[in-house]
């Protein structure tokens, strides 16, 4: 039996546990406890409260001094692409000089340039790469991450990417339909091949399937065919939609009962209203919008319309080379019109919902012992300190997984 006590915390801040994800005013209903403790037994939160309520503890107890620190739930990054080789620093420079993301992809660069590098990498190399990025996420407070494939676009490399995410403790999503690789004549024949030759194996490793619905990648009918087959194979459905243009991803996501539609930089009022009355989670990725100098997604309107909103990094080598959910929270509060409370709920309890994980995203008895201790007495430094080293200690399943020296 292992017992961990985090005591004398200046503050503990957590979304309240309800049934299912939070939306509307519940998204801002953060519980803040001053002078708090958290007790974790065998990896699971046992009790939480004020120091004066702390029960007498028997036996061996590991103890963390929380004076001057604030605690929040372990962060959940529900949208990342960490299994890639090489980099796109050259394209970053080209974009800085005026090239567009779409032009680079259409010219065989972008996703396809990462595909070439990733196909060259060994399984062991891919695993080491995902571990490296996972550790970078952990140091920034992420205790649970989702990771997509989508840079192999051939059978073996797609499966190797999914295995690498799983081996690093991540939640794998199969993004076979990310771009059309050069050995396939067109998107239709590629989708046929994906369903026939890769889906049966991918469905054994992944928990969800994802597709990039966009001009130049997959249109709505191709995405529908791919996702319908993936759903029949038992996968949860997700979409990259309305990133650059609004070509029907939101109605498709709602029609298919997808778990999420992610990006939404180009979503207009009809899409906002539709998501507001659906259970499809709107996953917002402000780093991608910032990085590609695109409009920010209509986050405030989505929350006000009643949509379930989550936030994620979209960590990837092309449009969001950043592993930091605290940076996402800063952008949420400065660019998306969300409050720190809404941002916290969106990258904890609602992000866990995207991944169908009910044991994390909140600090409450029975939840997994995942906590982030921030080096500030006010938890809002999470968003307030732009790109600061705000994470002091990360506890994952009741064990200290990172401490800043
Ligand atoms: O979510 N938009 C599609 N996929 C990724 C970017 C992939 C890449 O550029 O390598 C995204 O932004
Ligand atoms: Fe993405």
């Amino acid at each position: 039996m292992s017992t961990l006590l985090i005591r004398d915390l200046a503050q503990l801040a957590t979304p309240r546990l309800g049934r299912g994800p939070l939306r509307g005013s519940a998204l801002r209903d953060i519980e803040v406890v001053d002078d708090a403790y958290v007790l974790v037994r065998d990896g699971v939160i046992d009790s939480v409260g004020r120091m004066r309520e702390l029960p007498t503890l028997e036996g061996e107890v590991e103890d963390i001094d929380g004076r001057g620190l604030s605690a929040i739930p372990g962060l959940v990054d529900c949208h990342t692409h960490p299994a890639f080789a090489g980099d796109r620093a050259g394209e970053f420079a080209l974009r800085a000089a005026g090239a567009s993301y779409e032009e680079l992809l259409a010219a065989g660069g972008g996703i396809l340039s990462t595909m070439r590098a990733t196909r060259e990498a060994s399984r062991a190399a891919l695993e080491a790469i995902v571990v490296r990025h996972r550790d970078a996420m952990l140091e920034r407070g992420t205790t649970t991450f989702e990771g997509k494939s989508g840079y192999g676009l051939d059978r073996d490399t797609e499966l190797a990417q999914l295995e690498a995410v799983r081996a690093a403790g991540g939640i794998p999503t199969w993004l076979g339909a990310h771009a059309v690789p050069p050995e396939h004549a067109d998107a239709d024949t590629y989708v046929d091949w994906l369903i026939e030759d890769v889906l049966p194996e991918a469905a054994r490793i992944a928990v969800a399937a994802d597709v990039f619905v966009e001009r130049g990648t997959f249109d709505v009918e191709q995405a529908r065919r791919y996702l319908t087959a993936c759903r029949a194979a038992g996968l949860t459905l997700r979409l990259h939609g309305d990133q650059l243009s609004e070509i029907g991803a939101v109605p498709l996501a709602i029609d298919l009962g997808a778990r999420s539609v992610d990006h939404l930089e180009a979503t207009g009022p009809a899409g906002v209203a539709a998501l507001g009355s659906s259970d499809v989670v709107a996953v917002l990725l402000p780093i991608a919008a910032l990085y590609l100098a695109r409009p920010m997604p209509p986050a405030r309107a989505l929350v006000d319309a009643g949509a379930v909103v989550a936030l994620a990094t979209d960590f990837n080598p092309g449009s969001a080379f950043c592993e930091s959910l605290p940076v996402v929270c800063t952008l949420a509060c400065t660019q998306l019109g969300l409050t720190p409370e809404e941002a916290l709920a969106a990258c904890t309890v609602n992000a866990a919902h995207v991944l169908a994980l009910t044991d994390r995203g909140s600090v409450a008895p029975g939840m997994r012992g995942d906590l982030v201790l921030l080096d500030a007495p006010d938890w809002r430094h999470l968003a307030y300190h732009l790109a600061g080293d705000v994470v002091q200690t990360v506890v994952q399943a009741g064990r200290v997984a990172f401490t800043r020296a």
Side-chain angles (χ1 to χ4, degrees), residues 64-86:
I64 296 180
D65 181 356
R67 275 177 295 177
L69 308 180
S70 52
I72 56 172
L75 303 177
V76 178
D77 199 341
C78 66
H79 182 141
T80 87
H81 306 246
F84 61 87

Side-chain angles (χ1 to χ4, degrees), residues 314-339:
D314 194 21
F315 172 69
N316 75 76
S319 65
F321 194 50
C322 175
E323 293 102 335
S324 175
L325 277 171
V327 166
V328 170
C329 289
T330 304
L331 292 174
C333 297
T334 59
Q335 309 301 309
L336 297 185
L338 301 187
T339 66

Side-chain angles (χ1 to χ4, degrees), residues 189-207:
T189 54
Y190 179 55
V191 166
D192 291 341
W193 176 82
L194 283 174
I195 293 170
E196 190 70 18
D197 282 42
V198 192
L199 173 57
E201 277 297 304
R204 272 192 262 277
I205 312 167
V207 302

Side-chain angles (χ1 to χ4, degrees), residues 79 81 84 88 91 95 101 105 110-112 114 148 150-151 175 178 210-214 217 240-241 243-244 262-263 265 285 288 292 314-320:
H79 182 141
H81 306 246
F84 61 87
R88 305 238 290 276
E91 288 189 4
R95 275 208 317 280
Y101 183 78
L105 178 60
I111 295 167
L112 296 175
T114 298
K148 302 175 195 296
Y151 291 124
L175 179 55
H178 196 194
D210 200 341
V211 51
F212 185 15
V213 181
E214 191 51 71
T217 53
H240 280 67
Q243 181 183 12
L244 309 170
D262 305 35
H263 274 292
E265 288 92 317
L285 311 167
L292 298 185
D314 194 21
F315 172 69
N316 75 76
S319 65

Side-chain angles (χ1 to χ4, degrees), residues 104-320:
L104 292 167
L105 178 60
I111 295 167
L112 296 175
S113 98
T114 298
M115 174 204 78
R116 288 188 287 276
T118 305
R119 285 181 178 181
E120 294 289 306
S122 67
R123 279 183 174 247
L126 272 182
E127 283 187 14
I129 288 164
V130 177
V131 164
R132 182 154 54 85
H133 296 308
R134 176 205 65 194
D135 288 348
M137 293 181 207
L138 186 77
E139 292 178 15
R140 290 156 182 83
T142 297
T143 48
T144 299
F145 75 102
E146 177 262 24
K148 302 175 195 296
S149 68
Y151 291 124
L153 313 179
D154 65 18
R155 189 175 177 283
D156 287 354
T157 320
E158 283 295 308
L159 299 177
Q161 285 187 273
L162 295 174
E163 298 275 18
V165 169
R166 191 166 68 177
I171 314 287
T173 295
W174 182 44
L175 179 55
H178 196 194
V180 181
E183 63 273 21
H184 291 269
D186 55 40
D188 278 308
T189 54
Y190 179 55
V191 166
D192 291 341
W193 176 82
L194 283 174
I195 293 170
E196 190 70 18
D197 282 42
V198 192
L199 173 57
E201 277 297 304
R204 272 192 262 277
I205 312 167
V207 302
D210 200 341
V211 51
F212 185 15
V213 181
E214 191 51 71
R215 296 203 174 97
T217 53
F218 300 91
D219 68 22
V220 164
E221 279 322 306
Q222 289 152 352
R224 181 189 295 280
R225 206 148 53 77
Y226 169 78
L227 291 173
T228 303
C230 290
R231 184 173 56 188
L235 295 171
T236 301
L237 306 185
R238 306 189 55 184
L239 297 86
H240 280 67
D242 293 0
Q243 181 183 12
L244 309 170
S245 50
E246 199 180 21
I247 62 165
V250 167
L252 177 66
I254 293 171
D255 191 34
L256 292 177
R259 177 58 66 135
S260 75
V261 57
D262 305 35
H263 274 292
L264 305 174
E265 288 92 317
T267 304
V272 169
L275 286 168
S277 52
S278 91
D279 291 332
V280 178
V281 182
V283 178
L284 308 179
L285 311 167
I287 292 174
L290 179 79
Y291 215 74
L292 298 185
R294 315 284 310 185
M296 287 286 159
R300 186 72 257 156
L302 282 162
V303 173
D304 292 343
V308 181
V309 167
L311 287 164
T313 59
D314 194 21
F315 172 69
N316 75 76
S319 65

